[in-house]
Amino acid sequence: MITTASGAVPAFEVVEPAEPTIPFVFCSPHSGRDYPADFLAATRLPGDSIRRSEDLFVDQLFECVPKLGAPLIRARFPRAFLDVNREPYELDPQMFSEPLPDYVNVGSVRVTGGLGTIPRIVAENEEIYRQRLPLAEAIDRIETIYKPFHAAVEERLRRTKERFGMAILVDCHSMPSSVRALPGGRRPDMVLGDRYGTSAGARLMAIATGRLTRLGYDVARNKPYAGGYITERYGRPAVGQHAIQIEINRGLYADERIYRPHAGFEALAERLAAFVVGFAQDVDADYGLPAAAE
């Protein structure tokens, strides 16, 4: 649980299908927008500036998936508060009032950039906190939210693989419309990441890319986003467990300046539902999955 200005709410939700019918698990780890009251009191950022790290409304874009037969794990805590797409202990020693234990990873590129498990900055390199934090506060977030979140992901993947003989994690994110341009000035609508071929089978990536392309989207692979810790941790294609990260250009569906969906939101959500249905059909045809009732 986290305590917001309006009271205690679950830190995350697992929305289950009435009956699992497709070998997918969907995860939205960065779209949480329930800000703990004590966290807001500790930040130096004014107004809505703290929201710059949100994957705006991505959980709502994919809220169709339980009706389509797959679970959706959605964060309610914000990314600026805790980032579950990191190792459990990627912490910046400059953020804390006490020395960090030896097991903490203090030297990763993500920590150096201010984007560890407990982030130091939001987008545009703006510092979050007024002062250093007690180490106990970071450990509490990790123990009470981070670890249960990952346990929920692991359990849904285990159940899915047990039922269908394979499991596909789709890790759902969004990227700024000003995303770094690819060669030629191209800014894709979506980026699919598989850690450069290590977290998902090549055929699955080809199916996903083809389905999104046929829906009219410009799709890039692995650049500029190849997938983070979640993709790396759960992608084990050699044993039938795959992980694909999808990044969606926010300009397709939201006004980033005022943190609101715009007129394109509903059309995108409908097309994403069509993508999930088509992707599942192609996987079933290619892999000969067991019938859902078995």
Side-chain angles (χ1 to χ4, degrees), residues 31 51 119 226 232 255 273:
S31 55
R51 299 190 64 187
E232 180 180 17
D255 186 327

Side-chain angles (χ1 to χ4, degrees), residues 67-149:
K67 295 179 182 178
L68 299 177
L72 172 64
I73 303 163
R74 54 198 291 179
R76 296 189 65 172
F77 60 90
R79 179 188 186 183
F81 179 72
L82 175 71
D83 193 342
V84 291
N85 199 21
R86 301 290 183 261
E87 297 173 20
Y89 300 102
E90 284 188 83
L91 301 176
D92 183 344
Q94 300 303 312
M95 290 181 61
F96 299 97
S97 53
E98 305 104 312
L100 300 183
D102 291 341
Y103 59 78
V104 171
N105 181 351
V106 299
S108 75
V109 172
R110 295 179 289 217
V111 168
T112 302
L115 295 171
T117 315
I118 307 297
R120 176 172 55 81
I121 65 169
V122 293
E124 301 178 17
N125 208 33
E126 293 188 88
E127 298 278 341
I128 294 173
Y129 296 97
R130 291 195 183 96
Q131 58 192 20
R132 295 191 179 202
L133 301 174
L135 176 59
E137 187 168 327
I139 299 302
D140 181 67
R141 295 180 200 180
I142 293 165
E143 292 293 329
T144 63
I145 301 176
Y146 180 103
K147 290 183 178 180
F149 185 94

Side-chain angles (χ1 to χ4, degrees), residues 118-195:
I118 307 297
R120 176 172 55 81
I121 65 169
V122 293
E124 301 178 17
N125 208 33
E126 293 188 88
E127 298 278 341
I128 294 173
Y129 296 97
R130 291 195 183 96
Q131 58 192 20
R132 295 191 179 202
L133 301 174
L135 176 59
E137 187 168 327
I139 299 302
D140 181 67
R141 295 180 200 180
I142 293 165
E143 292 293 329
T144 63
I145 301 176
Y146 180 103
K147 290 183 178 180
F149 185 94
H150 279 278
V153 175
E154 289 175 352
E155 175 63 14
R156 272 67 193 180
L157 287 170
R158 184 195 65 77
R159 291 181 193 174
T160 300
K161 189 168 182 292
E162 187 176 80
R163 185 181 187 95
F164 296 98
M166 69 181 302
I168 303 163
L169 176 65
V170 182
D171 192 34
C172 306
H173 297 263
S174 69
M175 57 189 176
S177 57
S178 59
V179 61
R180 183 170 70 252
L182 298 176
R186 172 187 173 203
R187 285 191 169 87
D189 296 320
M190 303 193 187
V191 179
L192 295 178
D194 65 351
R195 304 288 299 179

Side-chain angles (χ1 to χ4, degrees), residues 2-292:
I2 55 176
T3 302
T4 69
S6 57
V9 297
F12 64 92
E13 297 176 306
V14 182
V15 187
E16 300 278 11
E19 180 74 16
T21 57
I22 58 177
F24 290 82
V25 175
F26 286 79
C27 176
S28 181
H30 286 166
S31 55
R33 48 196 172 271
D34 288 332
Y35 285 80
D38 56 353
F39 173 63
L40 291 177
T43 182
R44 61 191 297 275
L45 295 174
D48 282 340
S49 297
I50 193 69
R51 299 190 64 187
R52 291 179 181 170
S53 291
E54 280 182 31
D55 281 350
L56 294 173
F57 314 115
V58 165
D59 57 335
Q60 294 179 3
L61 286 172
F62 285 94
E63 67 182 4
C64 63
V65 297
K67 295 179 182 178
L68 299 177
L72 172 64
I73 303 163
R74 54 198 291 179
R76 296 189 65 172
F77 60 90
R79 179 188 186 183
F81 179 72
L82 175 71
D83 193 342
V84 291
N85 199 21
R86 301 290 183 261
E87 297 173 20
Y89 300 102
E90 284 188 83
L91 301 176
D92 183 344
Q94 300 303 312
M95 290 181 61
F96 299 97
S97 53
E98 305 104 312
L100 300 183
D102 291 341
Y103 59 78
V104 171
N105 181 351
V106 299
S108 75
V109 172
R110 295 179 289 217
V111 168
T112 302
L115 295 171
T117 315
I118 307 297
R120 176 172 55 81
I121 65 169
V122 293
E124 301 178 17
N125 208 33
E126 293 188 88
E127 298 278 341
I128 294 173
Y129 296 97
R130 291 195 183 96
Q131 58 192 20
R132 295 191 179 202
L133 301 174
L135 176 59
E137 187 168 327
I139 299 302
D140 181 67
R141 295 180 200 180
I142 293 165
E143 292 293 329
T144 63
I145 301 176
Y146 180 103
K147 290 183 178 180
F149 185 94
H150 279 278
V153 175
E154 289 175 352
E155 175 63 14
R156 272 67 193 180
L157 287 170
R158 184 195 65 77
R159 291 181 193 174
T160 300
K161 189 168 182 292
E162 187 176 80
R163 185 181 187 95
F164 296 98
M166 69 181 302
I168 303 163
L169 176 65
V170 182
D171 192 34
C172 306
H173 297 263
S174 69
M175 57 189 176
S177 57
S178 59
V179 61
R180 183 170 70 252
L182 298 176
R186 172 187 173 203
R187 285 191 169 87
D189 296 320
M190 303 193 187
V191 179
L192 295 178
D194 65 351
R195 304 288 299 179
Y196 295 99
T198 63
S199 71
R203 176 60 184 152
L204 287 177
M205 284 293 284
I207 291 171
T209 302
R211 280 285 174 179
L212 288 171
T213 300
R214 288 195 294 276
L215 286 168
Y217 296 112
D218 180 356
V219 183
R221 289 176 59 170
N222 288 312
K223 292 183 179 180
Y225 303 104
Y229 175 74
I230 288 174
T231 315
E232 180 180 17
R233 174 172 174 171
Y234 296 111
R236 303 169 199 159
V239 297
Q241 183 169 294
H242 307 264
I244 296 172
Q245 178 177 282
I246 181 169
E247 294 270 0
I248 301 171
N249 190 313
R250 290 176 202 146
L252 294 173
Y253 68 92
D255 186 327
E256 299 162 276
R257 299 167 303 161
I258 58 174
Y259 308 101
R260 290 181 184 172
H262 63 46
F265 183 92
E266 293 299 331
L268 175 59
E270 290 176 6
R271 288 186 179 184
L272 288 172
F275 160 69
V276 173
V277 170
F279 193 6
Q281 289 173 343
D282 289 347
V283 168
D284 189 19
D286 271 29
Y287 288 85
L289 300 176

